[in-house]
Amino acid sequence: MKERFPSLIALFLLVVLVTSSWWAADYAQRAIPVDPPRRVTHEMDAWSRDFVMLRTDPSGRPINRLEGQYAEHFPDDDSYHITAPRAVGQRETNPITVAVSKTAVMEQGGKRIVMNGDAHVHRQPDANNDMLDVRSQQLIILPDEDVVYTDLPAEVLKGRSRMNGKGMRYNNKTRQLQVSASTDVEIAGSEGKQQPRNGVPANNTDQKKP
């Protein structure tokens, strides 16, 4: 028994040491205040005045330009809220387009721009195409696809022809215009107005297919 007594004392001291270490660690963890998770709110973290943003193609040539009087950045969704925006699409193979509105929201790293309030997109004429004007209270631009569309009522002017409808999509690469529900169409050179039935898509392609 005397031979085992030192071993029992050593074992007892080891248990006490382990228990005290665990208690000290638990106490220290509970004593230190832990910050709660940061609340993600829609708050501005940066702003800019009279700014210009350029996007380039893989070769470094500018293809899109966005400028405005004032912009605010919101980190929760990485969006930019812009006052008096002006967006220019200037791809070498496509006609130049210029879009303006009262305000805009640029989302998804510049892949989507929502133009709000008296939105107007103007496509410049070229050797094969008349000028094209699209007006609506909201126009959504997809710069990478060179597409503009809206689900709201829109007015389209192509040369001297005019079309009013609800829901419009224009592809600047294919020069194809689609209006979901045309309510009033006036073709240049015609005396009367054509009024297609609501809900029947109206397609208009600038260039004739070979």
Side-chain angles (χ1 to χ4, degrees), residues 169-189:
R169 185 181 182 91
Y170 173 68
N171 188 320
N172 199 35
K173 293 180 180 179
T174 62
R175 319 292 196 272
Q176 187 174 40
L177 172 69
Q178 296 177 331
V179 179
S180 299
S182 302
T183 58
D184 184 17
V185 180
E186 184 176 357
I187 306 298

Side-chain angles (χ1 to χ4, degrees), residues 40-161:
V40 178
T41 59
H42 194 63
E43 298 180 0
M44 177 188 67
D45 68 341
W47 60 271
S48 177
R49 294 188 184 277
D50 300 324
F51 71 94
V52 175
M53 296 183 184
L54 289 177
R55 299 185 70 212
T56 62
D57 61 12
S59 64
R61 289 176 295 188
I63 55 176
N64 298 113
R65 175 188 176 98
L66 179 63
E67 56 189 56
Q69 293 181 358
Y70 179 73
E72 296 178 345
H73 178 256
F74 294 85
D76 60 318
D77 57 2
D78 194 24
S79 65
Y80 290 84
H81 293 226
I82 305 165
T83 301
R86 184 173 183 267
V88 181
Q90 51 189 47
R91 294 178 182 272
E92 184 177 358
T93 57
N94 300 335
I96 295 176
T97 59
V98 180
V100 296
S101 62
K102 292 182 178 179
T103 62
V105 179
M106 186 180 74
E107 305 168 327
Q108 302 174 10
K111 295 181 179 180
R112 187 173 186 265
I113 304 174
V114 182
M115 312 288 287
N116 294 311
D118 297 336
H120 173 209
V121 171
H122 174 77
R123 186 203 66 193
Q124 297 183 2
D126 58 17
N128 300 315
N129 304 289
D130 294 330
M131 71 87 184
L132 181 73
D133 273 316
V134 180
R135 297 178 185 272
S136 180
Q137 286 305 306
Q138 183 183 84
L139 293 173
I140 301 174
I141 302 173
L142 307 178
D144 291 346
E145 302 175 32
D146 213 0
V147 166
V148 57
Y149 71 93
T150 183
D151 294 327
L152 301 181
E155 180 185 59
V156 181
L157 296 176
K158 179 180 179 295
R160 296 170 56 190
S161 302

Side-chain angles (χ1 to χ4, degrees), residues 1 12 18 85 101 123 149 156 166 187 200 203 205:
M1 185 64 182
F12 174 76
V18 171
S101 62
R123 186 203 66 193
Y149 71 93
V156 181
K166 183 176 181 181
I187 306 298
V200 179
N203 296 331
T205 304

